[in-house]
């Protein structure tokens, strides 16, 4: 069973916005060379891998990319 609490790990106090740096952060996470894209590539390659040991390694790498 999951218990979902919508709270941050650390308190965040944004005093001034910076759209340029926000665009860089978003592109690193969701862009073509971002963490999410890399994670999806590792996790999708896992299903076509003929060796179980390597499939497990791809799963570990893919989930680690998501954790960043």
């Amino acid at each position: 069973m999951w218990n979902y609490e919508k709270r941050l790990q650390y308190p965040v106090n944004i005093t001034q916005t910076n759209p340029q740096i926000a665009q860089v952060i978003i592109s690193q996470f969701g862009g073509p060379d971002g963490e999410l894209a890399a994670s999806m590539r590792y996790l999708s390659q896992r299903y076509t891998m003929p060796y179980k040991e390597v499939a497990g390694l791809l799963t570990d790498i893919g989930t680690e990319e998501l954790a960043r």
Side-chain angles (χ1 to χ4, degrees), residues 17-66:
T17 59
N18 187 336
Q20 291 83 16
I21 201 75
Q23 187 176 15
V24 170
I25 292 170
I26 294 288
S27 70
Q28 286 302 307
F29 180 70
D33 297 321
E35 301 290 332
L36 185 60
S39 174
M40 292 298 109
R41 283 192 295 270
Y42 284 120
L43 292 174
S44 63
Q45 289 172 1
R46 154 192 211 294
Y47 293 106
T48 58
M49 181 56 60
Y51 305 108
K52 297 291 183 191
E53 298 84 10
V54 180
L57 180 62
L58 288 171
T59 302
D60 292 344
I61 295 170
T63 53
E64 177 63 29
E65 289 291 330
L66 285 175

